[in-house]
Amino acid sequence: MASAANMNAVRETMDVLLEISRLLNTGLDMESLSICVRLCEQGINPEALSSVIKELRKAADTLKASENSAS
Amino acid sequence: MTLLFYVACSIVTLNCVSAEVAHQFQYAVRVIGSNYAPTIERDEFLVSEKIKKEFLKQRREADAALFSELHRKLQTQGVLKHRWSILYLLLSLCEDPRKPSRGASYGALFAQALPRDAHSTPFYCARPQSLSLSHPERSGLAQNPNSMGTSGVSSLGMYSLNGTTTAPQFLLAGHQTAGESFRQPLGSRLAWNLPPTASHFSAPTSRGPLLPITPSARAALRQRRDVDSHAEIGEGALIRDILYVFQGIDGNFIKMCSQANCYTIDEKVPLSRSLRDTSNRLAELGWLHNKVRKYTDAWSLDRAFGLVGQSFCASLHQELKEYYRLLSVLHTQLQVEDEQGVNLGAESNLTLRRLLVWTYDPKVRLKTLAALVDYCQGRKGGELATSVHAYGKTGDPYMRALVQHILGLVSHPILNFLYRWIYDGELEDTYHEFFVASDPTVKTDRLWHDKYTLRKSMIPSFITMDQANKVLLIGKSINFLHQVCHDRTPPGKMPVPASKSTDSPRDAVELFTDLEGAFQGKIDAAYFDTSKYLLDVLNRNYLLLEHLQAMKRYLLLGQGDFIRHLMDLLKPELARPATTLYQHNLTGILETAVRATNAQFDSPEILKRLDVRLLEVSPGDTGWDVFSLDYHVDGPIATVFTRECMSHYLRVFNFLWRAKRMEYTLTDIWKGQMCNAKLLKNMPELSGVLHQCHILASEMVHFIHQMQYYITFEVLECSWDELWNKVQHAQDLDHIIAAHEVFLNTIITRCLLDNNNRSLLNQLRAIFDQIIEFQNAQDSLYRSGLEELQLRLQFEETKRERQEEGEWGVTAAQEAEESRHVQKFQETIPKMRSQLRILTHFYQGIVQQFLVLLMTSSDESLQFLSFRLDFNEHYKARDPRLRASLGASRGRRSSNM
């Protein structure tokens, strides 16, 4: 019961966070958001994480662009 | 966690080659893994506020309300431990929805962010792009939220800048050196470690592997730095040290090195070269501060240093106070940072580089001050002002303003001295700083000449010598009026300009910089008024000009009738030996002479000063040698007629008196000749001798007449006219004194009384002596002649009486005796003749010698005198030397021309 209530709370929290994320237009989906939340809970530096995410996105874009131009 | 991360990576880089994913993952792990302390505050509230602000910026007020609702919900649940963290993450990833699609904007975004980020690298300085890019960003800080919201980190920094900084200069500096706290070490590292990549800054999109030069790479490097900093000193500690050093206090690492006389960082302290370099540069400020401080500490308590020195110290203190104010602001900033956590608002942090920029101006100031202090060491008073003024001659307007300000303060006391001096004549210069010095030992009678002098070294360079002299003269005149003339005219009557003293140091500066105008005008006006007033007082109350004229009339024998009459009256007295003369007798005679002549109409003020004076008697002197007239001077006019002047007058008077006596003597001789000529006509044996006498006498008369003419007209009257003109146009007492001295000197020189003409004067004296001797000789001649005549007349008389009685006129014995007697007389005639001849010979020899000397004299007027004396070339024909010297002098003159 306790775990069920806990799960409930977690889900609710995640919903709220997802909503905020949407409001802020962060571009994170549920999956990546949950990963990020978990990383944050582990005590990661959010600033570093955000820069890594941006970096990765950018790298992905570049890759896509190069693929497009290649094909 | 690693697994999670990998998943995250793969999700983000969806559809990508796995090798690429692995590469990115490696990189990401490195970034995250470095144990990097967050640079932001761990405050949920602050983060949420920022998020709200972000919404407001994007004009999404409804969303903001929604967010606060959600946030509240989140808080109630309490599942999450690091709520701020996730919120911050979300905020960082926030995108403006109105922006075009994210993918397309990225490249542009980073390209935009980069130049600013790498701003501090040396390679970037020359890139015009960096300028054009950073400008709109700076200016658009408030108005253009679009560009703000794009890059998370930097925009956050901007917000914190807006939110937390207080000091406006920090804001300003923050603009210019935005984000420097991280970029400075980054920049230097980039410069050293990644020189090849620098060329790619401009093209971040060209290839994948080169991408690390992006914010994340920065973060990575930043973290690496902090890993290193376990061994090195943190910049914060260094800044703290530096701030202490700025005040001249040794820090933990930076210490005063007494050998090198500068602040150095301990060699053993591990520190990167750039930091070491920068702090060394900053530490110079401490050294400069110490220097200035040492000077003010040493002198400000030394009362003997004087007012000028004190105001110099005060001005230095003022500057130091400004400097301390800056330091306290810096300290406050440091403290605020400490309290709020190290990395709040990276853009406004204190860094060494920022310090370097902010302390640039104070450094220039301190450098100037230190140079001034060096230059002014050991100087005081006007000298100090001179040194400061010398430093104001610089092309740098900033420095000039500083020096000008100090000069204003420094010269203020001097100016006060000056105004006190020229308006009140008071000298309150306890420390001998003013350029007018007073000698308290000098009595009032020498006040004008000796009491006040200029201290040449204390004349500030902005006051010319001419002005200094005038200033001296003005004050001297006032003191002279007060102390010697006892003229206590209230300042209202004395012409004192309205503006009496300067109110502020600023006035002083204006006066000293505008030398041609106001200051000069003030001094001139004061000079003119005071001098004029002084001359008025001297002329009106003390009859200076009348005294001058009296000098000429009595001491220079200008009053002819009086002198003649005096000589008449004095003649029997003066012929006696000098030891038998009594002053009171002579004074009585003098008074008689005054009453009998035109002198009686002179003002009693002058006549009562006229007196007789007997010179020191040496054995054999007659009254003629020791008699002289005297004129008593005292009080203010004694300033013009000083003791030296009076002794000059005395010498001139003696000379003139002697010459006058010769004239008088010759008149007597002539009178004798005229009277006796008839009587002695019937003594034919005497006629030859008498003729000789007449010739010699007329020779002498000619000589003395020419001498008198020369003395009266060419010497006295010419010089007098010059003097009178000068005195009439004199502007101050000094002019009169100078003119008077010139007058006296001219007279002395022309009257052959100076050292150069000593031989001439000796000759002249000899001529005078010959004249006296001739007078004696002629007197004895006439006496014996008249005696003889008397005897003969007596003989004839007795002869006639006897004949009337009817006796024999003469007996044989009587006849014989008579003829013997006549014979005897006739025998004395050749003796007389030869005596006269010797006299004539001597006289002519001396006159010739005199003429030779006159000829060779360099004075034109004396040469002309020689022409006049020998107008018919009588002496020239007799003396070959005269011919030779004439030719020589002509030759010399032609060669001169």
Side-chain angles (χ1 to χ4, degrees), chain A residues 58, chain B residues 99 102-115 133 204-205:
Chain A
K58 192 164 157 37
Chain B
K99 273 262 171 200
R102 192 198 316 143
S105 69
Y106 269 142
L109 278 173
F110 283 119
Q112 221 175 56
L114 250 173
L133 279 174
T205 51

Side-chain angles (χ1 to χ4, degrees), chain B residues 559-584:
Chain B
Q559 184 86 21
D561 59 335
F562 166 75
I563 296 296
R564 174 79 203 185
H565 191 68
L566 184 67
M567 215 170 243
D568 281 342
L569 294 175
L570 279 174
K571 192 186 163 200
E573 287 282 330
L574 294 185
R576 290 173 9 202
T579 41
T580 60
L581 287 180
Y582 295 103
Q583 180 131 14
H584 50 88

Side-chain angles (χ1 to χ4, degrees), chain B residues 599-709:
Chain B
Q600 60 181 307
F601 303 115
D602 244 335
S603 86
E605 170 70 21
I606 287 169
L607 291 178
K608 81 174 182 208
R609 290 168 186 270
L610 207 55
D611 196 9
V612 169
R613 180 160 165 189
L614 294 177
L615 304 180
E616 270 179 54
V617 178
S618 47
D621 277 353
T622 59
W624 290 107
D625 296 317
V626 294
F627 173 82
S628 76
L629 275 182
D630 197 10
Y631 198 83
H632 293 295
V633 284
D634 54 7
I637 58 162
T639 301
V640 179
F641 305 108
T642 56
R643 211 174 288 274
E644 296 92 74
C645 283
M646 291 320 289
S647 75
H648 285 167
Y649 270 118
L650 206 62
R651 285 179 66 194
V652 175
F653 173 81
N654 277 323
F655 174 78
L656 294 176
W657 184 250
R658 208 179 285 265
K660 190 81 191 166
R661 184 192 164 201
M662 290 308 123
E663 199 189 324
Y664 188 80
T665 310
L666 285 172
T667 320
D668 272 358
I669 290 174
W670 184 81
K671 225 161 47 185
Q673 282 174 353
M674 289 304 111
C675 293
N676 296 329
K678 268 194 183 139
L679 290 175
L680 297 178
K681 214 191 262 173
N682 42 12
M683 285 178 78
E685 63 266 37
L686 269 179
S687 65
V689 184
L690 287 182
H691 182 65
Q692 230 175 336
C693 275
H694 285 214
I695 289 174
L696 185 56
S698 57
E699 223 173 272
M700 284 172 173
V701 166
H702 167 70
F703 181 87
I704 290 299
H705 271 176
Q706 291 305 325
M707 271 318 280
Q708 283 286 28
Y709 170 83

Side-chain angles (χ1 to χ4, degrees), chain A:
Chain A
M1 187 62 207
S3 69
N6 199 22
M7 273 307 291
N8 224 4
V10 166
R11 180 157 304 141
E12 224 166 285
T13 308
M14 282 315 291
D15 283 343
V16 169
L17 284 178
L18 190 65
E19 183 66 10
I20 293 174
S21 165
R22 196 185 54 75
L23 280 174
L24 281 170
N25 203 14
T26 57
L28 294 172
D29 54 8
M30 191 62 184
E31 189 186 358
S32 33
L33 182 64
S34 69
I35 291 171
C36 287
V37 169
R38 265 182 277 177
L39 281 169
C40 282
E41 287 300 285
Q42 299 271 342
I44 199 172
N45 181 1
E47 202 178 345
L49 181 58
S50 74
S51 34
V52 166
I53 289 170
K54 279 181 190 165
E55 193 57 32
L56 289 177
R57 275 178 181 165
K58 192 164 157 37
D61 282 342
T62 331
L63 279 175
K64 271 181 210 158
S66 60
E67 271 165 25
N68 288 347
S69 62
S71 61

Side-chain angles (χ1 to χ4, degrees), chain B residues 543-602:
Chain B
L543 308 171
L544 179 68
L545 296 183
E546 278 79 355
H547 284 301
L548 211 55
Q549 277 172 321
M551 287 283 179
K552 194 212 158 208
R553 278 212 304 274
Y554 297 111
L555 292 191
L556 302 183
L557 314 187
Q559 184 86 21
D561 59 335
F562 166 75
I563 296 296
R564 174 79 203 185
H565 191 68
L566 184 67
M567 215 170 243
D568 281 342
L569 294 175
L570 279 174
K571 192 186 163 200
E573 287 282 330
L574 294 185
R576 290 173 9 202
T579 41
T580 60
L581 287 180
Y582 295 103
Q583 180 131 14
H584 50 88
N585 290 345
L586 298 178
T587 316
I589 294 172
L590 177 70
E591 267 170 34
T592 317
V594 167
R595 250 176 287 137
T597 59
N598 274 330
Q600 60 181 307
F601 303 115
D602 244 335

Side-chain angles (χ1 to χ4, degrees), chain B residues 587-868:
Chain B
T587 316
I589 294 172
L590 177 70
E591 267 170 34
T592 317
V594 167
R595 250 176 287 137
T597 59
N598 274 330
Q600 60 181 307
F601 303 115
D602 244 335
S603 86
E605 170 70 21
I606 287 169
L607 291 178
K608 81 174 182 208
R609 290 168 186 270
L610 207 55
D611 196 9
V612 169
R613 180 160 165 189
L614 294 177
L615 304 180
E616 270 179 54
V617 178
S618 47
D621 277 353
T622 59
W624 290 107
D625 296 317
V626 294
F627 173 82
S628 76
L629 275 182
D630 197 10
Y631 198 83
H632 293 295
V633 284
D634 54 7
I637 58 162
T639 301
V640 179
F641 305 108
T642 56
R643 211 174 288 274
E644 296 92 74
C645 283
M646 291 320 289
S647 75
H648 285 167
Y649 270 118
L650 206 62
R651 285 179 66 194
V652 175
F653 173 81
N654 277 323
F655 174 78
L656 294 176
W657 184 250
R658 208 179 285 265
K660 190 81 191 166
R661 184 192 164 201
M662 290 308 123
E663 199 189 324
Y664 188 80
T665 310
L666 285 172
T667 320
D668 272 358
I669 290 174
W670 184 81
K671 225 161 47 185
Q673 282 174 353
M674 289 304 111
C675 293
N676 296 329
K678 268 194 183 139
L679 290 175
L680 297 178
K681 214 191 262 173
N682 42 12
M683 285 178 78
E685 63 266 37
L686 269 179
S687 65
V689 184
L690 287 182
H691 182 65
Q692 230 175 336
C693 275
H694 285 214
I695 289 174
L696 185 56
S698 57
E699 223 173 272
M700 284 172 173
V701 166
H702 167 70
F703 181 87
I704 290 299
H705 271 176
Q706 291 305 325
M707 271 318 280
Q708 283 286 28
Y709 170 83
Y710 166 75
I711 291 167
T712 318
F713 294 103
E714 296 202 347
V715 177
L716 290 182
E717 288 301 329
C718 290
S719 313
W720 174 256
D721 185 56
E722 225 166 86
L723 168 70
W724 196 246
N725 268 333
K726 278 191 201 162
V727 166
Q728 291 293 332
H729 296 110
Q731 282 188 319
D732 58 52
L733 191 55
D734 264 349
H735 288 176
I736 290 185
I737 291 175
H740 187 237
E741 258 163 26
V742 167
F743 168 70
L744 274 181
N745 283 336
T746 319
I747 289 180
I748 295 264
T749 317
R750 294 271 183 88
C751 288
L752 316 174
L753 291 173
D754 60 348
N755 289 334
N756 296 339
N757 292 320
R758 179 145 296 175
S759 51
L760 268 175
L761 187 66
N762 285 338
Q763 292 298 317
L764 199 58
R765 285 261 167 86
I767 291 172
F768 290 171
D769 288 347
Q770 289 301 312
I771 291 173
I772 302 287
E773 210 165 298
F774 170 63
Q775 187 194 23
N776 292 336
Q778 191 187 295
D779 274 358
S780 65
L781 172 71
Y782 279 131
R783 213 177 300 124
S784 61
L786 287 175
E787 232 168 65
E788 179 65 23
L789 187 66
Q790 198 74 33
L791 281 179
R792 284 186 194 183
L793 282 177
Q794 219 170 355
F795 181 72
E796 291 298 318
E797 189 83 359
T798 36
K799 212 162 71 172
R800 206 177 61 235
E801 274 175 18
R802 292 258 185 98
Q803 276 174 347
E804 278 173 10
E805 286 168 15
E807 291 173 28
W808 288 105
V810 278
T811 59
Q814 272 174 331
E815 188 102 2
E817 197 188 342
E818 174 63 20
S819 64
R820 198 160 34 89
H821 171 77
V822 169
Q823 184 114 32
K824 200 176 162 198
F825 174 69
Q826 277 168 347
E827 273 167 14
T828 60
I829 290 177
K831 214 174 116 201
M832 285 181 204
R833 190 189 288 265
S834 64
Q835 193 194 349
L836 261 183
R837 202 178 297 127
I838 290 170
L839 206 91
T840 315
H841 182 73
F842 263 133
Y843 172 76
Q844 288 184 338
I846 294 167
V847 169
Q848 275 160 22
Q849 179 66 31
F850 184 68
L851 285 175
V852 168
L853 286 172
L854 280 185
M855 276 307 214
T856 51
S857 153
S858 56
D859 194 341
E860 290 261 304
S861 60
L862 289 180
Q863 287 183 6
F864 292 147
L865 175 65
S866 87
F867 286 128
R868 246 194 321 266

